[in-house]
Amino acid sequence: MHEIRIAEDLSRIVLEAASERNLRKVTGINISFGQLVQIVPEIFEFAFREIVKDSVAQDARLNIEIIQVKMKCSKCGTDFRVEDNIFKCIECGSVDLEIINGKELFIKSLEGE
Ligand SMILES: [Zn+2]
């Protein structure tokens, strides 16, 4: 259940950003998660709501974007998108891969008034 820890971290960032910008209310939060973070959006949202209860972010809309896994083959240099969790180069079959996208975890933007 690492969603709870992530929700705690992100809610802290949201509340700090809201106070820096003197927001009375956070209306929307756009979050990006890499697929490798393996977040269950429902659990994350539930945990997040519990944490921000009675704060300026309590009514914020959460938009969660999942970034697909992209890898680069260290052998032949091909970039490719990982599908069905097959971690193997689509060109040469090598498993010597580098992660380009998929481990992200960040707040893209915040809407408020
Ligand atoms: Zn390759």
Side-chain angles (χ1 to χ4, degrees):
M1 294 281 264
H2 71 163
E3 285 85 355
I4 295 170
R5 192 177 43 80
I6 294 171
E8 282 171 355
D9 287 349
L10 291 190
S11 62
R12 195 173 330 119
I13 296 168
V14 166
L15 296 177
E16 276 173 19
S19 92
E20 270 168 29
R21 285 160 56 178
N22 294 316
L23 298 178
R24 282 181 298 115
K25 217 171 129 187
V26 178
T27 52
I29 304 165
N30 299 308
I31 301 173
S32 296
F33 287 129
Q35 215 178 347
L36 293 173
V37 179
Q38 294 189 322
I39 202 101
V40 179
E42 292 74 21
I43 298 176
F44 172 80
E45 177 149 10
F46 180 80
F48 188 87
R49 295 258 170 248
E50 282 297 307
I51 297 164
V52 299
K53 222 182 235 174
D54 302 321
S55 77
V56 290
Q58 67 172 353
D59 297 322
R61 199 167 15 85
L62 279 186
N63 300 313
I64 298 175
E65 178 204 28
I66 306 285
I67 300 171
Q68 283 195 311
V69 182
K70 215 173 148 194
M71 295 196 138
K72 187 183 173 89
C73 176
S74 304
K75 229 173 179 176
C76 72
T78 305
D79 289 359
F80 63 98
R81 222 173 260 297
V82 173
E83 269 159 47
D84 303 323
N85 287 316
I86 301 169
F87 294 92
K88 209 164 143 190
C89 176
I90 52 164
E91 280 299 324
C92 72
S94 169
V95 291
D96 187 4
L97 307 169
E98 216 179 293
I99 298 169
I100 300 175
N101 291 128
K103 285 164 84 179
E104 299 81 352
L105 173 55
F106 60 91
I107 296 169
K108 221 166 36 172
S109 60
L110 213 60
E111 293 150 29
E113 51 196 49

